[in-house]
Amino acid sequence: MRIIDLILMLNDFKKNNRVYIEEKDARLAVVDLEVKEDGIYLKSSTKIQGIKNWEFLLLLNKKEYYTLPLYYDDDRKKNHQQLFGFRVADDCILLG
């Protein structure tokens, strides 16, 4: 998913919803992001609460990021995966 597409869709949701990455066995809270040449990589944690939607949008909304794909680093598996969409449940935005 490109950053511009995600920004446009997330603007319709509550600003205080927390952002998570949805895995088969867990919800990982998004706590930071890292910009690399080939995309944006989300950093996650199971120990602390994630950032809110408005904070996430603030970090992502830069013109030079708009065409980059979105990934997350999975420390448990020592790799990264691309994110293709999201859903909303229990006032949480679940990226997947």
Side-chain angles (χ1 to χ4, degrees):
M1 171 183 341
R2 294 180 315 157
I3 298 300
I4 188 67
D5 300 327
L6 181 62
I7 290 170
L8 292 172
M9 290 186 284
L10 289 180
N11 277 323
D12 293 334
F13 293 96
K14 294 178 187 174
K15 300 301 178 199
N16 286 325
N17 287 2
R18 298 263 179 206
V19 180
Y20 294 90
I21 297 166
E22 187 172 41
E23 274 287 319
K24 295 175 187 169
D25 56 346
R27 283 186 183 175
L28 308 171
V30 174
V31 294
D32 198 8
L33 61 88
E34 181 180 355
V35 180
K36 295 183 182 177
E37 225 175 83
D38 60 339
I40 300 212
Y41 292 79
L42 300 179
K43 303 296 180 186
S44 62
S45 173
T46 56
K47 298 176 184 160
I48 60 175
Q49 285 191 341
I51 60 178
K52 295 181 178 181
N53 187 23
W54 71 268
E55 296 167 313
F56 191 55
L57 289 171
L58 188 65
L59 290 171
L60 290 176
N61 201 1
K62 294 185 174 72
K63 189 174 181 176
E64 57 271 15
Y65 298 168
Y66 287 172
T67 58
L68 295 176
L70 188 63
Y71 300 94
Y72 80 94
D73 285 331
D74 190 346
D75 292 335
R76 298 172 303 162
K77 298 176 184 172
K78 304 291 184 211
N79 66 359
H80 61 271
Q81 292 183 290
Q82 188 169 0
L83 297 168
F84 291 102
F86 70 94
R87 70 183 185 96
V88 178
D90 302 324
D91 284 334
C92 297
I93 297 170
L94 305 170
L95 300 169

